[in-house]
Coordinates of all heavy atoms in Angstrom, one line a residue:
K1 N 92.2 86.8 75.4 CA 91.5 86.6 76.7 C 90.9 88.0 77.1 O 89.8 88.1 77.6 CB 92.4 86.1 77.7 CG 91.8 85.8 79.0 CD 92.7 85.4 80.1 CE 93.6 84.2 79.7 NZ 94.5 83.9 80.8
S2 N 91.7 89.0 76.9 CA 91.3 90.4 77.3 C 90.1 90.8 76.5 O 89.2 91.4 77.1 CB 92.5 91.3 77.0 OG 92.1 92.6 77.3
E3 N 90.1 90.5 75.2 CA 88.9 90.9 74.4 C 87.6 90.2 74.9 O 86.6 90.8 75.0 CB 89.2 90.6 72.9 CG 90.2 91.5 72.3 CD 90.6 91.1 70.9 OE1 90.5 89.9 70.6 OE2 91.1 91.9 70.2
L4 N 87.8 88.9 75.1 CA 86.6 88.1 75.6 C 86.1 88.6 76.9 O 84.9 88.7 77.2 CB 87.0 86.6 75.7 CG 87.1 85.9 74.4 CD1 87.7 84.5 74.6 CD2 85.8 85.8 73.7
C5 N 87.1 88.9 77.8 CA 86.7 89.4 79.1 C 85.9 90.7 79.0 O 84.9 90.9 79.7 CB 87.9 89.6 80.0 SG 88.6 88.0 80.5
K6 N 86.3 91.6 78.1 CA 85.6 92.9 77.9 C 84.3 92.6 77.3 O 83.3 93.2 77.7 CB 86.5 93.8 77.1 CG 87.6 94.4 77.9 CD 88.5 95.3 77.0 CE 89.7 95.7 77.7 NZ 90.6 96.5 76.9
L7 N 84.3 91.8 76.3 CA 83.0 91.5 75.6 C 81.9 90.9 76.5 O 80.8 91.3 76.3 CB 83.4 90.5 74.4 CG 82.2 90.1 73.5 CD1 81.8 91.3 72.7 CD2 82.7 89.0 72.5
Y8 N 82.3 90.0 77.4 CA 81.4 89.4 78.2 C 81.3 89.9 79.7 O 80.7 89.3 80.5 CB 81.6 87.8 78.3 CG 81.3 87.2 76.9 CD1 82.3 86.8 76.1 CD2 80.0 86.9 76.6 CE1 82.1 86.2 74.9 CE2 79.7 86.3 75.4 CZ 80.8 86.0 74.5 OH 80.5 85.3 73.3
S9 N 82.1 90.9 79.9 CA 82.2 91.5 81.3 C 82.6 90.5 82.3 O 82.0 90.4 83.4 CB 80.9 92.2 81.7 OG 80.6 93.2 80.7
I10 N 83.7 89.8 82.1 CA 84.2 88.8 83.0 C 85.6 89.2 83.4 O 86.4 89.7 82.5 CB 84.3 87.4 82.3 CG1 82.9 87.0 81.7 CG2 84.8 86.4 83.2 CD1 83.0 85.8 80.8
A11 N 86.0 89.0 84.6 CA 87.4 89.3 85.1 C 88.3 88.2 84.5 O 88.0 87.1 84.4 CB 87.4 89.3 86.6
P12 N 89.5 88.7 84.1 CA 90.5 87.7 83.6 C 90.8 86.6 84.6 O 91.1 85.5 84.2 CB 91.7 88.6 83.3 CG 91.2 89.9 83.1 CD 90.0 90.0 83.9
T13 N 90.8 86.9 85.9 CA 91.1 85.9 86.9 C 90.0 84.8 86.9 O 90.3 83.7 87.2 CB 91.2 86.5 88.3 OG1 90.1 87.3 88.6 CG2 92.5 87.4 88.4
T14 N 88.8 85.2 86.6 CA 87.7 84.2 86.5 C 88.0 83.3 85.4 O 87.8 82.0 85.5 CB 86.4 85.0 86.3 OG1 86.2 85.9 87.4 CG2 85.2 84.0 86.2
V15 N 88.4 83.8 84.2 CA 88.7 82.9 83.1 C 89.8 82.0 83.4 O 89.8 80.8 83.1 CB 89.0 83.7 81.8 CG1 89.4 82.8 80.6 CG2 87.7 84.5 81.4
N16 N 90.8 82.5 84.1 CA 92.0 81.7 84.5 C 91.5 80.5 85.4 O 92.0 79.4 85.3 CB 93.0 82.5 85.2 CG 93.8 83.5 84.3 OD1 93.8 83.2 83.1 ND2 94.3 84.5 84.8
E17 N 90.6 80.8 86.3 CA 90.0 79.8 87.2 C 89.3 78.7 86.4 O 89.5 77.5 86.7 CB 89.1 80.4 88.2 CG 89.7 81.2 89.3 CD 88.7 81.9 90.2 OE1 87.5 81.6 90.1 OE2 89.2 82.8 90.9
W18 N 88.6 79.1 85.3 CA 87.9 78.1 84.5 C 89.0 77.3 83.7 O 88.8 76.1 83.5 CB 87.0 78.8 83.5 CG 85.9 79.6 84.1 CD1 85.5 79.5 85.4 CD2 85.1 80.6 83.5 NE1 84.5 80.4 85.7 CE2 84.2 81.0 84.5 CE3 85.0 81.1 82.3 CZ2 83.2 82.0 84.3 CZ3 84.0 82.1 82.0 CH2 83.2 82.5 83.0
I19 N 90.0 77.9 83.3 CA 91.1 77.1 82.6 C 91.7 76.1 83.5 O 91.8 74.9 83.1 CB 92.2 78.1 82.1 CG1 91.7 79.0 81.0 CG2 93.4 77.3 81.6 CD1 92.6 80.1 80.6
K20 N 91.9 76.4 84.7 CA 92.4 75.4 85.7 C 91.3 74.4 86.0 O 91.7 73.2 86.1 CB 92.8 76.1 87.0 CG 94.1 77.0 86.8 CD 94.4 77.7 88.1 CE 95.6 78.7 87.8 NZ 95.8 79.5 89.0
K21 N 90.1 74.8 86.2 CA 89.0 73.9 86.6 C 88.8 72.8 85.5 O 88.6 71.6 85.9 CB 87.7 74.7 86.8 CG 86.5 73.8 87.1 CD 85.3 74.6 87.3 CE 84.1 73.6 87.5 NZ 82.8 74.3 87.8
Y22 N 88.9 73.2 84.3 CA 88.6 72.3 83.2 C 89.9 71.7 82.6 O 89.9 71.0 81.6 CB 87.8 72.9 82.1 CG 86.4 73.3 82.6 CD1 86.0 74.6 82.9 CD2 85.4 72.3 82.8 CE1 84.8 74.9 83.4 CE2 84.2 72.6 83.2 CZ 83.8 73.9 83.5 OH 82.6 74.2 84.0
N23 N 91.0 71.9 83.3 CA 92.3 71.3 83.0 C 92.7 71.6 81.5 O 93.1 70.7 80.8 CB 92.3 69.8 83.3 CG 93.7 69.3 83.4 OD1 94.6 70.0 83.7 ND2 93.9 68.0 83.2
R24 N 92.5 72.8 81.1 CA 92.8 73.2 79.7 C 94.3 73.6 79.6 O 94.6 74.8 79.6 CB 91.9 74.3 79.2 CG 90.4 73.8 79.1 CD 90.2 72.8 78.0 NE 90.8 73.2 76.7 CZ 90.0 73.8 75.8 NH1 88.8 74.1 76.0 NH2 90.6 74.2 74.7
K25 N 95.2 72.6 79.7 CA 96.6 72.9 79.7 C 97.0 73.7 78.4 O 98.0 74.5 78.4 CB 97.4 71.7 79.8 CG 97.2 71.0 81.2 CD 98.0 69.8 81.3 CE 97.7 69.2 82.7 NZ 98.5 67.9 82.9
D26 N 96.3 73.5 77.3 CA 96.6 74.2 76.1 C 96.3 75.7 76.2 O 96.9 76.5 75.4 CB 95.7 73.7 74.9 CG 94.2 73.7 75.2 OD1 93.8 73.4 76.3 OD2 93.5 74.0 74.3
L27 N 95.5 76.1 77.2 CA 95.2 77.5 77.4 C 96.0 78.1 78.6 O 95.8 79.3 78.9 CB 93.7 77.7 77.6 CG 92.9 77.3 76.4 CD1 91.4 77.4 76.8 CD2 93.2 78.1 75.2

């Protein structure tokens, strides 16, 4: 997750919000 966030300039908290939004329990 850290690498992807740096690669795409996204905050980790933003990715966490997407995980919750799309109900990706596996992530």
Side-chain angles (χ1 to χ4, degrees):
K1 187 186 304 179
S2 180
E3 290 170 339
L4 286 172
C5 290
K6 288 177 185 176
L7 184 64
Y8 292 102
S9 301
I10 305 168
T13 54
T14 301
V15 176
N16 289 337
E17 289 174 14
W18 298 345
I19 290 170
K20 290 177 188 173
K21 177 180 178 179
Y22 294 103
N23 200 25
R24 293 296 305 269
K25 293 180 183 179
D26 57 319
L27 301 175

